[in-house]
């Protein structure tokens, strides 16, 4: 049984059943995007009882599997996914690994040129090589669908392919698939482990493109993921693998009702209509619980894991929910629990001090309950649990991390540092300033929302 928890004025919980499910295409771009995407598909396979060779194990039948997978005449399930990188090494590694045998081999795409970690090279040079081939593969995926709804995209905004090529692809998708939704999960670089100082250029430029061509963006910060892996999962090395698994676990929670019938975030349009009050204000924070070491198994009650999920130490960006105003908030539960048990922490969160809502949306929780047990990657770094919860929230606190990116961008640009790497690839200096202005306007929009609510509270 799956469905939506509707929080009514009387604080009662109701269950509604599912409607038609439409196909979703996953795009995994660049090294970071492919690594995270591969982690996600290993979780989805385990969730659907699909083996590493694509065979469906005997047991429960899940009608919604066709939303994420395509089935061959031989009964092999392969993901509706495309993995693309400018270099062949990672693509070959995934193809040749036992865990990657379930992919359709035609849906891998590798270039022959390194993007050099430069947005402009990804946007121009890499796109000239890879844009047409990936669009051909997307068309093939669409031809295999009855009613495709849109895209789930994983990428990394610090790299040249994940920022520049992804941005060019966003433009193309917006033009060719205007009515198809794009939900993007971008990764941001670890500030202490930058492979190059100019990565902040890539991040701000990609954010600028994201601003105009993406419906919902749910970013992850590698530094914060690393902190979570050390503090809560007790991982002392392999921080990048740990970060990828945490990111995949959160994405798996967010997309629960895309993969199982339900009415809370049960299609891509629902993410936009439930979370985004204005098109530019579409960047959301996320967190999930429980995050425990692989040697443990959690039986923590639903009330505790739900309230823990709002602790700033579990938010996937370097900020906390209490630092800004909520514009909207979604909670997605999985596992052994009752609707009444899920209702209690929501009722408490509504009245908890420290959490602030914009005045025009004072109780904007959208909640979903799924009774299938949560899954974790076998032999991974995250421990299993009887129940789990994921939060995705549009909160003005995201202004803080974006402000930090702008400040670092401005420091570099004022010195014209590394600019030549971009101009030699066809990028104009005026384009730096245009991207900066776009994000400054975004920051201004967030501040205006907060100030309007502050003024309303003072008038009260």
């Amino acid at each position: 049984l799956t469905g939506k928890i509707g929080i009514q004025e009387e604080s009662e919980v109701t269950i509604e059943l599912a409607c038609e499910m439409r196909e979703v295409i996953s795009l995994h771009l660049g090294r970071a995007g492919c690594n995270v995407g591969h982690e996600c598909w290993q979780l989805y396979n385990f969730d659907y009882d699909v083996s590493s060779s694509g065979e469906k194990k005997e047991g429960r039948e899940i009608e919604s599997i066709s939303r994420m997978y395509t089935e061959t005449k031989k009964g092999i399930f392969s993901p509706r996914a495309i993995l693309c990188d400018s270099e062949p090494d990672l693509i070959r590694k995934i193809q040749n690994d036992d865990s990657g045998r379930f992919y359709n081999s035609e849906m891998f795409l590798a270039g022959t040129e390194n993007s050099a970690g430069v947005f402009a090279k990804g946007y121009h040079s890499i796109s000239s090589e890879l844009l047409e081939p990936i669009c051909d593969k997307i068309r093939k995926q669409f031809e295999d669908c009855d009613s495709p709804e849109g895209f789930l995209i994983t990428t990394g905004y610090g790299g040249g392919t994940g920022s520049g090529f992804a941005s060019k692809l966003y433009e193309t998708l917006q033009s060719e698939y205007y009515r198809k939704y794009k939900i993007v999960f971008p990764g941001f670089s670890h500030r202490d482990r930058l492979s190059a100082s100019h990565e902040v250029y890539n991040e701000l430029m990609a954010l600028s493109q994201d601003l105009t061509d993406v419906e919902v963006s749910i970013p992850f910060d590698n530094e914060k993921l690393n902190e979570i892996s050390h503090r809560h999962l007790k991982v002392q090395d392999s921080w990048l693998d740990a970060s990828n698994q945490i990111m995949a676990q959160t994405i798996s929670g967010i997309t629960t009702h895309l993969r199982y019938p339900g009415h809370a975030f049960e299609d891509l349009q629902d993410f936009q209509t439930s979370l985004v009050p204005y098109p530019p204000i579409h960047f959301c924070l996320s967190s999930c619980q429980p995050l425990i070491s692989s040697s443990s198994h959690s039986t923590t009650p639903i009330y505790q894991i739900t309230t823990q999920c709002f602790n700033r130490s579990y938010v996937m960006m370097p900020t906390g929910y209490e630092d800004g105003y909520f514009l909207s908030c979604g909670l997605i539960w999985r596992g052994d629990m009752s609707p009444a048990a899920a209702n209690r922490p929501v009722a408490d969160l509504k009245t908890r001090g420290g959490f602030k809502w914009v005045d025009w949306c004072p109780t904007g929780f959208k909640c979903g309950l799924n009774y299938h047990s949560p899954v974790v990657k076998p032999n991974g770094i995250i421990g299993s649990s009887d129940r789990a919860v994921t939060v995705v929230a549009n909160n003005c606190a995201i202004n803080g991390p974006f402000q930090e990116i702008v400040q670092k961008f401005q420091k570099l640009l004022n010195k014209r540092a590394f600019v030549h790497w971009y101009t030699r690839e066809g990028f104009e200096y005026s384009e730096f300033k245009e991207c900066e202005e776009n994000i400054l306007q975004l920051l201004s929009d967030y501040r205006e929302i907060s100030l309007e609510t502050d003024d309303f509270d003072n008038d009260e």
Side-chain angles (χ1 to χ4, degrees):
L1 175 63
T2 57
K4 165 189 173 182
I5 295 184
I7 307 299
Q8 311 296 329
E9 291 183 1
E10 299 82 9
S11 295
E12 294 179 353
V13 179
T14 60
I15 296 289
E16 301 175 19
L17 294 179
C19 61
E20 177 189 3
M21 306 188 85
R22 300 169 61 191
E23 298 93 348
V24 175
I25 310 301
S26 294
L27 304 177
H28 309 298
L29 309 175
R31 178 169 292 272
C34 288
N35 275 322
V36 172
H38 186 47
E39 292 287 346
C40 287
W41 284 106
Q42 290 179 78
L43 279 175
Y44 300 161
N45 278 0
F46 192 56
D47 213 358
Y48 279 126
D49 289 332
V50 173
S51 72
S52 60
S53 60
E55 297 175 344
K56 182 78 170 66
K57 299 176 183 177
E58 292 185 6
R60 59 191 173 93
E61 293 297 323
I62 306 172
E63 292 182 4
S64 61
I65 192 170
S66 63
R67 185 171 213 182
M68 305 292 285
Y69 292 77
T70 180
E71 184 180 6
T72 68
K73 293 179 180 179
K74 295 182 179 180
I76 300 298
F77 289 87
S78 62
R80 299 186 188 276
I82 301 169
L83 289 83
C84 175
D85 194 13
S86 60
E87 296 181 277
D89 293 353
L90 178 62
I91 296 297
R92 287 199 197 111
K93 180 182 176 183
I94 295 174
Q95 278 182 303
N96 296 330
D97 191 84
D98 286 343
S99 64
R101 290 184 296 151
F102 60 93
Y103 293 108
N104 180 345
S105 60
E106 295 180 0
M107 293 302 147
F108 288 102
L109 178 60
T112 57
E113 184 180 6
N114 190 316
S115 67
V118 175
F119 177 96
K121 191 164 187 176
Y123 189 86
H124 293 294
S125 302
I126 302 302
S127 293
S128 66
E129 179 185 8
L130 297 180
L131 187 62
E132 186 174 340
I134 196 172
C135 287
D136 287 341
K137 293 181 185 298
I138 290 171
R139 291 186 195 102
K140 289 179 181 178
Q141 288 282 6
F142 267 62
E143 289 169 3
D144 195 43
C145 297
D146 292 327
S147 180
E149 188 186 12
F151 306 92
L152 293 175
I153 303 173
T154 61
T155 186
Y157 281 171
T161 306
S163 62
F165 174 69
S167 293
K168 189 67 174 180
L169 183 59
Y170 296 165
E171 282 184 13
T172 305
L173 295 177
Q174 187 71 0
S175 173
E176 296 189 13
Y177 302 95
Y178 177 71
R179 294 187 179 275
K180 304 302 179 184
Y181 294 89
K182 297 174 290 296
I183 311 296
V184 178
F185 302 95
F188 285 80
S189 300
H190 193 305
R191 297 290 170 251
D192 295 333
R193 306 189 187 191
L194 290 175
S195 59
S197 299
H198 62 260
E199 285 186 10
V200 70
Y201 284 158
N202 299 338
E203 292 177 344
L204 188 134
M205 291 170 181
L207 271 178
S208 178
Q209 196 69 51
D210 187 319
L211 191 63
T212 57
D213 291 333
V214 171
E215 280 67 45
V216 181
S217 189
I218 305 173
F220 294 76
D221 180 80
N222 267 329
E223 186 172 358
K224 188 59 181 291
L225 295 173
N226 184 38
E227 178 185 319
I228 291 171
S229 70
H230 282 311
R231 179 183 297 182
H232 301 295
L233 302 179
K234 313 305 179 186
V235 175
Q236 301 305 320
D237 53 9
S238 302
W239 71 272
L240 194 53
D241 289 341
S243 296
N244 291 337
Q245 287 190 43
I246 295 169
M247 192 169 169
Q249 193 71 35
T250 307
I251 293 172
S252 175
I254 291 171
T255 59
T256 293
H257 286 145
L258 292 179
R259 292 177 289 111
Y260 288 104
H263 277 269
F265 306 110
E266 45 88 24
D267 58 32
L268 299 185
Q269 182 181 12
D270 198 17
F271 278 89
Q272 185 185 37
T273 56
S274 298
L275 295 172
V276 181
Y278 316 110
I281 309 296
H282 66 245
F283 298 93
C284 297
L285 297 173
S286 62
S287 53
C288 72
Q289 275 290 306
L291 288 175
I292 55 174
S293 66
S294 57
S295 60
S296 306
H297 175 81
S298 173
T299 58
T300 308
I302 185 65
Y303 183 89
Q304 187 173 339
I305 63 170
T306 303
T307 53
Q308 282 178 345
C309 218
F310 286 84
N311 187 311
R312 69 184 302 118
S313 69
Y314 292 102
V315 179
M316 302 296 163
M317 291 289 283
T319 187
Y321 296 118
E322 67 274 19
D323 293 345
Y325 285 96
F326 281 98
L327 286 75
S328 56
C329 184
L331 294 95
I332 303 163
W333 291 278
R334 283 191 64 168
D336 180 20
M337 68 193 75
S338 67
N343 185 70
R344 183 180 162 223
V346 172
D348 285 356
L349 286 167
K350 285 183 181 181
T351 57
R352 175 185 286 192
F355 289 141
K356 301 171 290 186
W357 287 85
V358 291
D359 57 278
W360 38 266
C361 189
T363 56
F365 287 99
K366 180 155 187 176
C367 307
L369 175 61
N370 185 291
Y371 293 131
H372 289 106
S373 297
V375 299
V376 295
K377 180 182 177 180
N379 303 315
I381 63 163
I382 301 174
S384 60
S385 60
D386 291 341
R387 55 196 67 87
V389 62
T390 307
V391 170
V392 56
N394 197 332
N395 188 298
C396 292
I398 206 166
N399 212 30
F402 288 173
Q403 180 71 54
E404 181 182 348
I405 291 172
V406 169
Q407 290 171 350
K408 292 182 177 181
F409 178 94
Q410 291 171 330
K411 285 181 180 179
L412 282 181
L413 192 60
N414 288 340
K415 299 291 185 181
R416 299 287 182 110
F418 308 107
V419 169
H420 62 286
W421 292 113
Y422 293 77
T423 55
R424 69 170 55 179
E425 293 292 339
F427 213 69
E428 302 289 339
Y429 182 76
S430 59
E431 294 179 88
F432 282 85
K433 300 302 292 184
E434 181 182 348
C435 292
E436 179 188 359
E437 290 170 4
N438 290 339
I439 303 306
L440 286 173
Q441 182 59 54
L442 175 67
L443 298 181
S444 177
D445 291 343
Y446 277 114
R447 283 194 296 270
E448 184 177 348
I449 290 170
S450 299
L451 288 172
E452 285 178 353
T453 304
D454 284 336
D455 291 341
F456 178 84
D457 290 342
N458 291 333
D459 291 340
E460 289 283 309

